[in-house]
Amino acid sequence: MMSVISHGQSHKGLVRQLNEDACLLLPDYKVWVVADGMGGHAAGDVASQLVVDTIREQVMNAKSLEPAIIKTALELANEKVVAYCQQNAQGDVGGSTVVVLLFCREQYHVFWLGDSRLYLLRAGKLQQITRDHSQVNDMVEQGLISAEQAESHELANVITRAVGVEGSVEVASLSGDIRTGDIFLLCTDGLNKEIPDHEIEGYLNHSDIEAANRALIHMTLVAGARDNVTCILVKVNELSESCSTEHFISDSCIKTIPISFKSKF
């Protein structure tokens, strides 16, 4: 039997005037979400908040929470963002990337659109689970440029899939087994564009995920934080004697910020 603890933080960074990121922690429902409003598009902050609010509504109203609920929620969020932009942004395009983590029957399920990422630290080793929906990532996979060249490429900010950009969305998803000791990181690209994966791995190997998460945000700021940055850490532990049955059923011995929020800093 396993228990789960989670911690989330968001910061507008040192350059942007507005935090267009949004996140959602619902440990009682085994759902965590990070969304990144697309910079340069109309209503990016509204788009990301519509995404997390729609997921929260669909999850909390579901009679039985199955992976299909998340996919449906993202499709509905896409409709809402498109409609909002048509009605309130003079037809301009608004959008948001998103990554969602769901635990269901001892498996994790991840859903995503864009370049917000899910990482998994297992046995001390970090691996990126999601694949960025971006122009440069497509070019890397086609062998046209190297991963190093992608970081500074002129098309680095071109996203090929997002919520609210088109009338329909193709949600990417995959699943895997959950193991005791796993640490999942959901983040916007404001983190991985400032801190390389090997450094992220080092911070995640800290036993205290709240301290680890605060360190990630701090080091992003030290590196210049050119974009908004949002991180959620989800750690799977063995069910300890200090956790009651009620805590286990709610899937969390420690709940940290179990609602969507935006940094006021």
Side-chain angles (χ1 to χ4, degrees):
M1 298 181 70
M2 295 176 288
S3 65
V4 177
I5 60 175
S6 57
H7 182 268
Q9 275 197 292
S10 186
H11 198 290
K12 73 179 181 65
L14 301 177
V15 175
R16 301 290 180 90
Q17 296 300 310
L18 180 69
N19 191 350
E20 294 185 321
D21 288 357
C23 68
L24 176 68
L25 292 87
L26 292 175
D28 287 351
Y29 297 87
K30 310 182 185 78
V31 173
W32 298 266
V33 185
V34 162
D36 182 355
M38 294 171 62
H41 289 71
D45 58 326
V46 176
S48 62
Q49 195 63 49
L50 274 173
V51 170
V52 298
D53 288 346
T54 301
I55 294 172
R56 175 171 50 196
E57 178 183 357
Q58 293 298 302
V59 166
M60 296 183 72
N61 290 334
K63 294 181 179 179
S64 177
L65 187 54
E66 300 290 335
I69 295 294
I70 304 300
K71 184 174 182 293
T72 299
L74 290 171
E75 293 169 345
L76 179 58
N78 187 74
E79 295 176 4
K80 289 184 176 182
V81 174
V82 170
Y84 174 85
C85 291
Q86 290 176 343
Q87 296 171 10
N88 301 282
Q90 292 76 49
D92 290 339
V93 176
S96 177
T97 70
V98 62
V99 60
V100 184
L101 175 65
L102 164 70
F103 287 174
C104 183
R105 291 188 290 274
E106 299 185 1
Q107 281 199 314
Y108 71 84
H109 304 270
V110 57
F111 306 82
W112 77 98
L113 291 153
D115 61 356
S116 289
R117 293 180 176 180
L118 178 79
Y119 289 92
L120 169 60
L121 184 82
R122 176 169 287 173
K125 298 298 182 182
L126 186 71
Q127 56 180 315
Q128 181 182 335
I129 301 299
T130 55
R131 170 197 172 275
D132 293 352
H133 296 140
S134 66
Q135 187 68 56
V136 294
N137 193 58
D138 290 346
M139 295 169 69
V140 169
E141 293 184 349
Q142 293 167 14
L144 300 176
I145 61 174
S146 67
E148 292 73 22
Q149 291 173 320
E151 295 297 327
S152 57
H153 197 278
E154 60 183 5
L155 298 177
N157 292 323
V158 177
I159 303 303
T160 56
R161 292 194 213 178
V163 178
V165 182
E166 298 181 351
S168 61
V169 289
E170 183 181 353
V171 180
S173 64
L174 56 81
S175 305
D177 293 332
I178 302 171
R179 299 182 187 176
T180 301
D182 283 349
I183 298 178
F184 295 86
L185 165 64
L186 299 85
C187 67
T188 57
D189 65 342
L191 176 70
N192 55 270
K193 285 185 176 178
E194 299 290 1
I195 305 178
D197 286 5
H198 70 273
E199 291 188 17
I200 294 175
E201 178 179 286
Y203 290 116
L204 295 195
N205 272 297
H206 195 289
S207 59
D208 183 337
I209 65 164
E210 180 175 349
N213 206 10
R214 294 188 185 281
L216 288 175
I217 297 291
H218 174 73
M219 292 311 299
T220 303
L221 296 173
V222 169
R226 293 164 291 177
D227 199 355
N228 311 143
V229 56
T230 300
C231 306
I232 295 177
L233 288 180
V234 182
K235 184 177 182 180
V236 180
N237 294 320
E238 287 185 322
L239 183 62
S240 65
E241 294 180 359
S242 62
C243 293
S244 68
T245 302
E246 179 180 358
H247 282 139
F248 173 68
I249 291 174
S250 70
D251 203 34
S252 181
C253 295
I254 302 173
K255 299 179 188 177
T256 305
I257 324 177
I259 57 173
S260 62
F261 70 99
K262 288 181 180 288
S263 170
K264 296 182 180 180
F265 299 103

